Amino acid sequence: MGMQIGRGDEDDELNAVINTTPLVDVMLVLLIIFLITIPVVTENIPVKLPAEENQPLQTRPENITIAVDIDGNLFWNNEALVDAEDLQKRLFEIAQRVPQPEIHIRGDQETRYDNVNQIVEACQRAAIFKVGFITEPPPRG
């Protein structure tokens, strides 16, 4: 730190210039570090991934399957339901069981999403904890 001792006649001016040399040095060091580490991060290590194995669904008698067809008709374990209120009433009844059974939803591929969403909302209102969707596995080959 340098001090200038002199006459008081001169105007004391504030030096408002920012020294950017340390900032540039740090940025160059970071740039070099990033250039060195990027090829290491993007390199793929050849590994043999495991083959797909799907466990078949263990359907227990207490599990309940709710199906909806292309027309929006609801089915409770292959038994036709009258309307959404009937579904809600049955869900409230099984929600009281201990342990609570799982609900499996089977929706036709061509049905409207609203029909499946109606079942999910009914399960939420009845406080059903385990809700799952049943799908067809992709063809092997």
Side-chain angles (χ1 to χ4, degrees):
M1 183 165 127
M3 289 181 55
Q4 182 180 5
I5 301 176
R7 297 179 299 164
D9 300 349
E10 304 153 2
D11 291 330
D12 291 333
E13 292 184 17
L14 182 62
N15 185 4
V17 178
I18 297 174
N19 186 5
T20 59
T21 304
L23 177 66
V24 171
D25 290 344
V26 169
M27 295 305 291
L28 285 174
V29 169
L30 287 174
L31 179 67
I32 291 171
I33 289 173
F34 288 142
L35 287 175
I36 291 172
T37 58
I38 285 177
V40 174
V41 173
T42 59
E43 182 178 314
N44 288 333
I45 298 172
V47 295
K48 183 178 179 185
L49 297 175
E52 174 189 343
E53 286 189 23
N54 190 6
Q55 298 289 332
L57 179 66
Q58 298 295 327
T59 304
R60 290 180 242 135
E62 64 267 11
N63 291 347
I64 296 165
T65 302
I66 301 174
V68 58
D69 64 4
I70 192 169
D71 298 323
N73 299 321
L74 299 174
F75 297 90
W76 181 280
N77 285 341
N78 298 327
E79 174 189 333
L81 293 173
V82 178
D83 55 3
E85 288 81 22
D86 188 23
L87 170 68
Q88 191 68 52
K89 183 178 71 171
R90 289 187 184 204
L91 287 173
F92 276 121
E93 288 173 7
I94 66 157
Q96 306 303 321
R97 294 185 193 168
V98 176
Q100 203 177 66
E102 295 179 17
I103 302 293
H104 298 161
I105 300 173
R106 296 182 55 178
D108 189 279
Q109 183 176 356
E110 300 298 323
T111 193
R112 296 181 46 172
Y113 290 122
D114 185 47
N115 296 332
V116 177
N117 188 37
Q118 177 184 4
I119 299 171
V120 174
E121 286 177 352
C123 291
Q124 288 176 340
R125 276 186 251 127
I128 303 292
F129 297 118
K130 294 184 180 179
V131 178
F133 295 95
I134 297 177
T135 61
E136 290 292 325
R140 294 199 175 245

